[in-house]
Amino acid sequence: MKNKDEIESATSIPAAVAPTASARVRLRPLDPTGVVIEDGLLAERQRVNREVTLLRGAEELERAGTLENLRIAAGRARGSRRGMVFSDSDVYKWLEALAWEIGREPSAELERLAHETIDLVAAAQEPDGYLNSWCQVVDPAWRWTDLEMGHELYCAGHLIQAGVAFARTTGDVSLLTVARRFADLIVDVFGSDGHTGTDGHPEIEVALVELYRQTGERRYLEMADTLTSRRGFGTFAGGRFDLPYYQDAEPVREARSIVGHAVRALYLAAGVTDIYAETGDEALLGSMLRQWDDLVSAKMYLTGGIGSRHHDESIGDPYELPPDRAYCETCAAIASIMWNWRMLLVTGESRFADLLERTLYNGFLSGHSLDGESFFYVNALQSRTGDRRHNWNPVACCPPNVMRLLASLHHYLATTTDTGIQLHQYASSRIRAVCPVAGPVELAVKADYPWSGTIEVEIVSTGDVEWTLSLRVPAWARAAILDGAPVTPGGYADLTRTWRVGDKVTLEIDVSPRLTAPNPRIDAVRGCLALERGPVVYCFEEQDLPADADLADVAVDPAAEPVDRGPVEPLGGVPGVAVAGVVRDLDGWRQSEYRDLRELPAASAAPTQLLAVPYFAWANRNEGGMRVWIPTTD
Amino acid sequence: MKNKDEIESATSIPAAVAPTASARVRLRPLDPTGVVIEDGLLAERQRVNREVTLLRGAEELERAGTLENLRIAAGRARGSRRGMVFSDSDVYKWLEALAWEIGREPSAELERLAHETIDLVAAAQEPDGYLNSWCQVVDPAWRWTDLEMGHELYCAGHLIQAGVAFARTTGDVSLLTVARRFADLIVDVFGSDGHTGTDGHPEIEVALVELYRQTGERRYLEMADTLTSRRGFGTFAGGRFDLPYYQDAEPVREARSIVGHAVRALYLAAGVTDIYAETGDEALLGSMLRQWDDLVSAKMYLTGGIGSRHHDESIGDPYELPPDRAYCETCAAIASIMWNWRMLLVTGESRFADLLERTLYNGFLSGHSLDGESFFYVNALQSRTGDRRHNWNPVACCPPNVMRLLASLHHYLATTTDTGIQLHQYASSRIRAVCPVAGPVELAVKADYPWSGTIEVEIVSTGDVEWTLSLRVPAWARAAILDGAPVTPGGYADLTRTWRVGDKVTLEIDVSPRLTAPNPRIDAVRGCLALERGPVVYCFEEQDLPADADLADVAVDPAAEPVDRGPVEPLGGVPGVAVAGVVRDLDGWRQSEYRDLRELPAASAAPTQLLAVPYFAWANRNEGGMRVWIPTTD
């Protein structure tokens, strides 16, 4: 195996996303080893991930046979391969999570698990660099024959991301060496004179760019660009799904809208944004901006969740956003966070950090139980009968994806430019940054965010020069005050000063609860309102209703002011919100679905106070119905 | 082959559903050879089916390889089998359609097609009676090994129904002989000492009851009962779908609600109702009544369509009725018509004839283009971008199912009891019936139904005795007048007289257009109204809007009276209906999906007249959006 020095790096930043020095980015990630989330909701999620979820991952990968598949491929075990064709990627995502977590804080147990598993992965690799337990165990002739649904390059992408993560956090390049050998084979096979196909499931693109960034080898970037440019010519025509599903209906540079399988669309978008960052190909950025605008104007759920259809896990038509049959795969939320972080780096625009925040606190966190033991694959905004998170899934893409994002959450708090530091996400934290003008700077942030909107930033260390501290003021805020003066929501509040150690600034964002209305074109939630508090979307759980009330019969008074109602203890003390509403008596409708408008039954309604809890925390108590959107009393 | 006389019949009625003399039915079907639909919408659909659709069926079955599969099985051709595992059933349903059509009116061409195809089917049968081209051509070892998804008994059921249809209409028992040989094998294999399984897709139950009725052999009825009684014990646990999908979650006699795959649920319900009729097992009828109540109170679309989910083609949760993602498979509408006819025979209650009518004129007819050339598999109640009917489908269950129902539509108009004749569906028609009290009776019905509500019934022939003529007065009617006197909608108006030849009665049903409101629990159409006219559900097509208006921005005034607006010529002169509404200006919402309730954009709306056309006739002109449910201006 090579050691770290033998692999030349084009980047000096050991973060999950690490643009090269010449990348077209307005903002640069920090070295995450200098960032610690110390307290609050995000710290608690990282703790649970470390202490519970990552270890469950090891058990479940064993129980599902996913690790055993690699042992069989490595000749260390005998038996039949189990699980989905793409299940190797579950191991790689879990390894990536281990890498970020070990980088965050060493752990003998996690390091042992990582070492053993990397050794296993290396042992399973073929002499020519190929690595895929389905092909190796089930059918060696299958190699590269099912690009539509085979997920070979997809799995390779996750292997590469894991290899890069270990190289960046522990300096151990053993997994990166495995990944590079496979990547080199892929470049040989899929390079310009070779196989002209691309993968039915994007993912390798974002991985190959990072491999380029990690190794300095431009051919990986070129391979990512080539694979991307092969899309949109109907290669997958006649396949199991339609062309948009595979991101194969329009060439990426010409795409007018965001379509198809949500995770495929969003992984590709993350990769394309990275390719733009490293190549400066403006057609790619133009496509990304068009797709993002299309997403947020007509195809995204209030939770940041994406994917309106179960049938093909796809983004639906514009305004097709059913709350009950929302798909909103947890992986799609994670992919959206990946994409928005890259768009933020490239553009420096706060709207991308706003959407990252919306997705993080809602459509992403809902996928992980508070105790860290179970997961939602689908994150609906309404359930009539209640849902239960699963310990693991036959398609287990989401759980290890949750783990790798939680283990690297601190990568996404802040950035630097030549002239300053930008805070995008708020948490009680220590942030060390090196900015060309200011030199090394350390900030101490105190923020019981998202529950409180008060953010105190103290300068712990700074050079004696002028630099700019930028604080994101979310667009959802009704008001915000920075050191006593109002600032406009929807951008960054910039403070350019010659900072001194001990200087403090306080940003106060109004996080008081508010009612939110949907675009009238969103048919499925017409006549309803939602309740938000700061960046957190709330929901109504059946178990919080008055006895005998049915969640189907509840309505909210649009004139009412929702008010805080103190911590909901069984949910770890998250703040509840109360709002005035009614429980309608629909007895007159029994046994009939449709009535002549002239002959509607008499209606009555009993006033009540409705308790709402954060959407991400639903389905953590008793099983029962839930809804984000509530009809109005009008 | 046996001739007709060698097969003893337990029934004397050559109709699609022919209860035995001892059956627990309150109403008895007529001999359909005495019923002719002479003019109007249903006559036109029967004509188009005969002249266009049945012949297209022959071509498409050839093009798809479905007939060739049987030739390969018969050793008359070589090649690979094509199409779905259950595609033999497409041939059988088409044959059944030919049988009813030939019975309706002889046709040398249709008889030639039938004869050739029956000869082919007979040639494909194995010596032991087995017949399934998938098994015979692809894998002989597969026989009875995949009851979950293999559809072997399902295909056998359609073969039996076709065989029975020919025996009843043409007296040719050659196909019935094939069907009986297969049925005898099935009884041997699945009888009480044999294989203890049942089929993942119900259908054979309804067929075996009819085979019993046709042959008098009680073991077919017992086999149907046995297969039904094996459901509900989790035989299909661990399968591709959940237990409700296969009608395997609860024993049929204990079922509390209607669940699972819509076509499976409804074919089974038709069969169970028939088993009740022939056995008198009240637990079965109780289950049917519970399931029907559940259906119409919470799980049915306004069109009579059933099936809310694409993912597993299933009935959803109560009140889960999205108009855009409605599945409403055409086969489910047909199966619902089959079930409701049987429930009508068993109970004599008009609500079943009402639902048959609703389904016939809306969720069923929408599946067939006006020119008879193409089909909808899915019958959504909203399309944002427009849909186009298909000439045929890889899963081609619906087209021949449409054909067999259209060819037998006249079976469903009227019934007899010991003391009279009941008219359930109205069309200009001649109806001959034999009723024990009245003896042979002939009625001439004049009715431009459903467009006009005036129904004139003339007694053309009658014995000189007192008997009762019963006319259904639909529950949807606001008013109805029989010979000048008001009658109450929602039941039968009974006229008991000593009828004379030339007597006439006139029923006037108010079919003026009306606005319909949904149960407030149906989330997906909250704040919307639909427009109905008589039994016909109307819809709004984008092409009928004012120029530049978007169907997403249209709203209807709930205080407005919809009014007739004369024939819409490109749709064969179906009457249009106009209603006052507005086109809203939603420009203020551009680029945003969700807004703080305190910061909603200014709204304006331009008054307009909205033209509606019958839902079943949509997608017959230019492609474009459509919606049944329209937001109100409130």
Side-chain angles (χ1 to χ4, degrees):
Chain A
M1 285 186 197
K2 299 183 183 185
N3 64 40
K4 190 182 186 184
D5 296 338
E6 290 175 280
I7 297 180
E8 182 190 357
S9 176
T11 180
S12 59
I13 305 167
V17 184
T20 62
S22 62
R24 274 76 166 177
V25 289
R26 293 184 187 274
L27 310 180
R28 294 196 166 272
L30 306 189
D31 179 341
T33 56
V35 182
V36 179
I37 303 176
E38 294 180 319
D39 200 12
L41 175 62
L42 299 186
E44 170 66 7
R45 300 324 299 152
Q46 287 201 313
R47 182 193 67 76
V48 168
N49 188 51
R50 177 186 184 86
E51 295 177 7
V52 179
T53 311
L54 285 166
L55 303 175
R56 292 247 8 177
E59 292 168 19
E60 296 288 352
L61 288 167
E62 203 60 80
R63 190 170 298 146
T66 320
L67 289 164
E68 189 73 359
N69 291 338
L70 289 168
R71 287 190 202 105
I72 298 168
R76 292 180 178 182
R78 291 174 167 279
S80 300
R81 192 187 181 286
R82 290 164 60 196
M84 308 300 292
V85 69
F86 44 76
S87 65
D88 289 356
S89 63
D90 303 338
V91 175
Y92 305 146
K93 276 188 279 192
W94 173 73
L95 278 173
E96 186 189 338
L98 291 182
W100 302 128
E101 186 58 32
I102 293 165
R104 202 170 74 81
E105 187 182 340
S107 154
E109 184 171 16
L110 298 183
E111 282 162 45
R112 179 186 58 76
L113 286 167
H115 181 79
E116 283 176 14
T117 310
I118 291 171
D119 178 69
L120 172 60
V121 171
Q125 187 165 39
E126 296 282 322
D128 68 352
Y130 187 81
L131 180 47
N132 182 296
S133 74
W134 179 276
C135 180
Q136 294 170 263
V137 173
V138 176
D139 180 11
W142 177 82
R143 192 194 280 201
W144 312 132
T145 61
D146 182 14
L147 291 176
E148 181 199 342
M149 298 302 283
H151 291 74
E152 275 163 300
L153 295 173
Y154 167 91
C155 289
H158 282 300
L159 170 64
I160 292 166
Q161 288 182 305
V164 167
F166 276 104
R168 288 184 183 165
T169 56
T170 68
D172 176 1
V173 296
S174 52
L175 190 62
L176 183 64
T177 304
V178 173
R180 284 191 71 168
R181 289 183 58 213
F182 197 5
D184 290 342
L185 175 68
I186 289 166
V187 171
D188 281 350
V189 172
F190 289 87
S192 49
D193 297 332
H195 198 305
T196 58
T198 192
D199 203 75
H201 197 315
E203 151 61 30
I204 194 166
E205 300 80 1
V206 73
L208 284 171
V209 176
E210 226 57 59
L211 186 60
Y212 156 65
R213 288 166 171 170
Q214 184 61 27
T215 63
E217 298 228 26
R218 201 162 175 88
R219 61 210 177 93
Y220 299 133
L221 174 63
E222 286 160 0
M223 187 77 257
D225 195 8
T226 298
L227 290 171
T228 298
S229 300
R230 287 176 183 166
R231 298 189 173 279
F233 301 98
T235 309
F236 297 116
R240 189 168 156 203
F241 295 100
D242 62 7
L243 291 179
Y245 177 90
Y246 306 101
Q247 300 297 308
D248 193 26
E250 285 186 311
V252 172
R253 287 169 178 78
E254 296 163 25
R256 293 158 297 177
S257 54
I258 190 160
V259 297
H261 184 274
V263 177
R264 283 170 167 80
L266 293 159
Y267 275 164
L268 180 62
V272 167
T273 308
D274 272 341
I275 296 169
Y276 162 77
E278 299 299 342
T279 65
D281 181 341
E282 293 293 336
L284 293 177
L285 181 60
S287 174
M288 290 295 95
L289 290 167
R290 286 194 301 278
Q291 292 191 42
W292 196 90
D293 285 346
D294 185 44
L295 177 70
V296 301
S297 59
K299 294 176 175 173
M300 192 185 73
Y301 284 91
L302 183 65
T303 56
I306 301 166
S308 303
R309 297 182 179 180
H310 278 242
H311 173 63
D312 54 0
E313 309 186 313
S314 72
I315 298 165
D317 288 334
Y319 308 108
E320 180 189 322
L321 294 160
D324 48 355
R325 294 294 286 170
Y327 201 69
C328 295
E329 185 181 333
T330 306
C331 283
I334 293 165
S336 177
I337 288 172
M338 291 168 61
W339 182 32
N340 277 284
W341 178 247
R342 286 160 176 80
M343 291 297 281
L344 175 66
L345 297 181
V346 159
T347 65
E349 295 175 18
S350 65
R351 56 182 174 148
F352 302 106
D354 281 359
L355 181 49
L356 193 158
E357 177 188 62
R358 175 173 295 278
T359 309
L360 171 62
Y361 286 111
N362 304 294
F364 165 68
L365 277 189
S366 61
H368 192 216
S369 67
L370 293 182
D371 65 9
E373 300 272 4
S374 58
F375 307 89
F376 272 140
Y377 189 102
V378 167
N379 294 273
L381 280 74
Q382 176 180 0
S383 170
R384 291 181 179 81
T385 53
D387 292 325
R388 193 188 291 263
R389 289 182 182 79
H390 307 285
N391 288 333
W392 205 250
N393 266 22
V395 175
C397 50
C398 298
N401 218 356
V402 168
M403 298 177 210
R404 67 177 183 150
L405 182 60
L406 287 176
S408 58
L409 266 187
H410 53 298
H411 298 214
Y412 302 101
L413 296 193
T415 55
T416 61
T417 56
D418 285 351
T419 57
I421 300 170
Q422 302 80 41
L423 299 189
H424 306 287
Q425 307 300 334
Y426 299 115
S428 286
S429 51
R430 286 274 175 156
I431 296 174
R432 286 202 310 260
V434 179
C435 138
V437 165
V441 169
E442 183 169 348
L443 308 177
V445 181
K446 284 194 180 163
D448 184 21
Y449 197 84
W451 312 127
S452 159
T454 302
I455 295 129
E456 292 178 1
V457 183
E458 181 181 345
I459 310 296
V460 176
S461 158
T462 180
D464 189 17
V465 290
E466 185 180 271
W467 57 275
T468 302
L469 175 64
S470 300
L471 303 176
R472 183 175 62 94
V473 185
W476 49 256
R478 283 177 170 170
I481 294 170
L482 183 60
D483 283 345
V487 288
T488 307
Y492 291 91
D494 298 325
L495 294 165
T496 304
R497 296 182 193 164
T498 303
W499 296 93
R500 309 290 174 197
V501 170
D503 279 357
K504 283 187 185 174
V505 298
T506 301
L507 174 65
E508 289 172 276
I509 304 169
D510 179 2
V511 296
S512 58
R514 62 192 190 278
L515 293 172
T516 300
N519 187 316
R521 285 185 166 177
I522 304 178
D523 293 295
V525 294
R526 176 169 292 110
C528 291
L529 296 173
L531 202 160
E532 296 182 273
R533 186 185 182 286
V536 180
V537 174
Y538 273 60
C539 71
F540 299 84
E541 286 199 84
E542 188 135 32
Q543 56 200 291
D544 295 320
L545 292 183
D548 302 331
D550 189 318
L551 193 54
D553 299 340
V554 162
V556 66
D557 178 358
E561 270 316 315
V563 292
D564 280 336
R565 220 175 77 171
V568 180
E569 273 318 325
L571 297 178
V574 298
V577 172
V579 62
V582 300
V583 179
R584 296 174 294 182
D585 179 353
L586 297 177
D587 264 4
W589 277 94
R590 290 224 188 291
Q591 297 291 331
S592 64
E593 291 183 291
Y594 311 107
R595 288 284 190 94
D596 192 324
L597 183 62
R598 285 199 200 155
E599 296 168 12
L600 296 189
S604 66
T608 188
Q609 286 288 310
L610 300 167
L611 176 66
V613 298
Y615 166 73
F616 75 78
W618 92 278
N620 276 286
R621 294 176 289 171
N622 304 316
E623 221 167 328
M626 178 278 297
R627 55 192 306 161
V628 167
W629 293 99
I630 298 279
T632 68
T633 52
D634 289 355
Chain B
M1 284 188 199
K2 300 183 181 183
N3 65 41
K4 192 182 182 184
D5 296 338
E6 290 174 281
I7 297 180
E8 182 192 357
S9 176
T11 180
S12 59
I13 305 168
V17 183
T20 62
S22 62
R24 274 77 167 174
V25 290
R26 292 183 186 275
L27 310 180
R28 294 195 166 271
L30 306 190
D31 179 342
T33 57
V35 181
V36 180
I37 304 177
E38 294 180 318
D39 200 12
L41 176 62
L42 298 186
E44 169 67 7
R45 301 323 299 153
Q46 287 201 314
R47 183 192 66 77
V48 168
N49 187 51
R50 177 185 184 87
E51 294 177 7
V52 179
T53 312
L54 284 167
L55 302 175
R56 292 251 2 183
E59 292 168 20
E60 296 288 351
L61 289 167
E62 202 60 81
R63 190 170 298 144
T66 319
L67 289 165
E68 190 73 359
N69 292 338
L70 289 168
R71 286 190 201 106
I72 299 168
R76 294 179 177 183
R78 291 174 168 277
S80 300
R81 192 187 181 286
R82 289 164 60 196
M84 308 301 291
V85 69
F86 43 76
S87 65
D88 289 356
S89 63
D90 303 338
V91 175
Y92 304 146
K93 275 188 279 193
W94 173 73
L95 278 173
E96 186 188 338
L98 291 182
W100 301 129
E101 186 57 32
I102 294 165
R104 201 169 75 81
E105 187 182 341
S107 155
E109 184 172 16
L110 298 182
E111 282 162 45
R112 180 187 57 77
L113 285 168
H115 182 79
E116 283 176 15
T117 311
I118 291 171
D119 179 69
L120 172 60
V121 170
Q125 187 165 39
E126 296 282 322
D128 69 351
Y130 187 82
L131 179 47
N132 182 297
S133 75
W134 178 276
C135 179
Q136 294 170 262
V137 174
V138 177
D139 180 10
W142 175 82
R143 190 193 282 200
W144 312 131
T145 60
D146 182 15
L147 291 176
E148 181 199 341
M149 299 303 283
H151 291 75
E152 273 164 302
L153 294 174
Y154 167 91
C155 289
H158 282 300
L159 171 63
I160 292 166
Q161 287 183 305
V164 167
F166 277 104
R168 288 184 183 166
T169 56
T170 69
D172 176 1
V173 296
S174 51
L175 190 62
L176 183 65
T177 304
V178 172
R180 284 191 71 168
R181 289 183 57 214
F182 197 5
D184 291 341
L185 175 68
I186 289 166
V187 171
D188 282 350
V189 172
F190 289 87
S192 49
D193 296 333
H195 199 305
T196 58
T198 193
D199 204 74
H201 197 315
E203 150 62 30
I204 194 165
E205 300 80 1
V206 73
L208 284 171
V209 177
E210 227 55 60
L211 186 60
Y212 156 65
R213 289 166 169 169
Q214 184 61 29
T215 63
E217 298 228 25
R218 201 164 175 86
R219 63 212 176 91
Y220 299 133
L221 174 63
E222 286 160 1
M223 186 78 258
D225 195 8
T226 298
L227 290 171
T228 298
S229 300
R230 287 177 183 164
R231 297 189 173 279
F233 300 98
T235 309
F236 297 115
R240 191 168 155 204
F241 294 100
D242 61 7
L243 291 179
Y245 177 90
Y246 306 101
Q247 299 297 309
D248 193 26
E250 284 186 313
V252 172
R253 288 168 178 79
E254 296 163 25
R256 293 159 296 178
S257 54
I258 190 160
V259 297
H261 183 274
V263 178
R264 283 168 168 80
L266 293 159
Y267 275 165
L268 180 62
V272 167
T273 308
D274 272 341
I275 296 169
Y276 162 76
E278 298 300 342
T279 65
D281 181 340
E282 294 293 335
L284 293 177
L285 181 59
S287 174
M288 290 295 95
L289 290 167
R290 286 194 301 278
Q291 292 190 43
W292 196 89
D293 285 345
D294 185 45
L295 177 70
V296 301
S297 59
K299 293 175 175 173
M300 191 186 73
Y301 284 90
L302 184 65
T303 56
I306 302 167
S308 304
R309 297 181 179 179
H310 280 242
H311 173 63
D312 54 0
E313 309 187 312
S314 73
I315 298 164
D317 288 334
Y319 307 108
E320 180 189 324
L321 294 159
D324 47 356
R325 294 294 286 170
Y327 201 68
C328 294
E329 185 181 333
T330 305
C331 283
I334 294 164
S336 177
I337 288 172
M338 291 168 61
W339 182 31
N340 277 285
W341 177 247
R342 287 159 176 80
M343 291 297 282
L344 175 65
L345 296 182
V346 159
T347 66
E349 296 176 17
S350 65
R351 56 183 174 149
F352 301 107
D354 281 359
L355 182 50
L356 192 158
E357 177 188 63
R358 175 173 295 279
T359 309
L360 171 61
Y361 287 111
N362 303 293
F364 165 68
L365 277 189
S366 61
H368 191 218
S369 67
L370 293 182
D371 65 9
E373 300 272 4
S374 57
F375 307 90
F376 272 140
Y377 190 103
V378 167
N379 294 275
L381 281 74
Q382 177 181 1
S383 170
R384 292 182 178 81
T385 53
D387 292 326
R388 192 190 292 265
R389 289 183 183 77
H390 307 284
N391 288 335
W392 205 249
N393 266 22
V395 175
C397 50
C398 298
N401 219 355
V402 167
M403 297 177 211
R404 67 177 183 149
L405 182 61
L406 287 176
S408 58
L409 266 187
H410 53 300
H411 299 212
Y412 302 101
L413 296 194
T415 56
T416 60
T417 57
D418 286 350
T419 56
I421 300 171
Q422 302 79 41
L423 298 190
H424 306 287
Q425 307 300 334
Y426 299 116
S428 286
S429 50
R430 285 273 174 157
I431 296 174
R432 286 204 309 260
V434 177
C435 136
V437 165
V441 169
E442 184 170 350
L443 308 178
V445 181
K446 284 194 180 164
D448 184 20
Y449 197 84
W451 311 127
S452 159
T454 301
I455 296 129
E456 292 178 3
V457 183
E458 181 180 347
I459 310 296
V460 176
S461 158
T462 180
D464 189 16
V465 291
E466 185 180 272
W467 56 275
T468 303
L469 174 65
S470 301
L471 303 176
R472 183 176 61 94
V473 186
W476 50 256
R478 284 177 170 169
I481 295 170
L482 183 61
D483 282 345
V487 288
T488 308
Y492 292 90
D494 298 325
L495 293 166
T496 304
R497 296 182 193 165
T498 301
W499 296 94
R500 309 288 174 200
V501 171
D503 280 357
K504 283 188 186 173
V505 297
T506 302
L507 174 65
E508 290 172 274
I509 303 170
D510 179 2
V511 296
S512 58
R514 62 193 190 276
L515 293 172
T516 300
N519 187 315
R521 285 185 167 177
I522 304 177
D523 293 294
V525 294
R526 176 170 291 110
C528 291
L529 296 173
L531 202 160
E532 296 182 272
R533 186 185 182 285
V536 180
V537 174
Y538 273 59
C539 72
F540 299 83
E541 286 198 86
E542 188 135 33
Q543 56 202 291
D544 294 320
L545 293 184
D548 302 331
D550 189 318
L551 193 53
D553 299 341
V554 162
V556 66
D557 178 359
E561 271 314 317
V563 293
D564 279 336
R565 221 176 74 173
V568 180
E569 273 317 327
L571 297 178
V574 298
V577 172
V579 62
V582 299
V583 179
R584 295 174 296 181
D585 179 353
L586 297 178
D587 264 4
W589 277 95
R590 288 221 191 292
Q591 298 291 332
S592 64
E593 291 183 290
Y594 310 107
R595 288 284 190 93
D596 192 325
L597 183 62
R598 286 200 199 156
E599 296 168 13
L600 296 189
S604 66
T608 189
Q609 286 288 312
L610 300 167
L611 176 67
V613 297
Y615 166 74
F616 75 76
W618 93 278
N620 276 288
R621 294 175 290 170
N622 304 316
E623 223 168 326
M626 177 278 295
R627 55 191 308 161
V628 167
W629 293 99
I630 297 280
T632 67
T633 51
D634 289 354

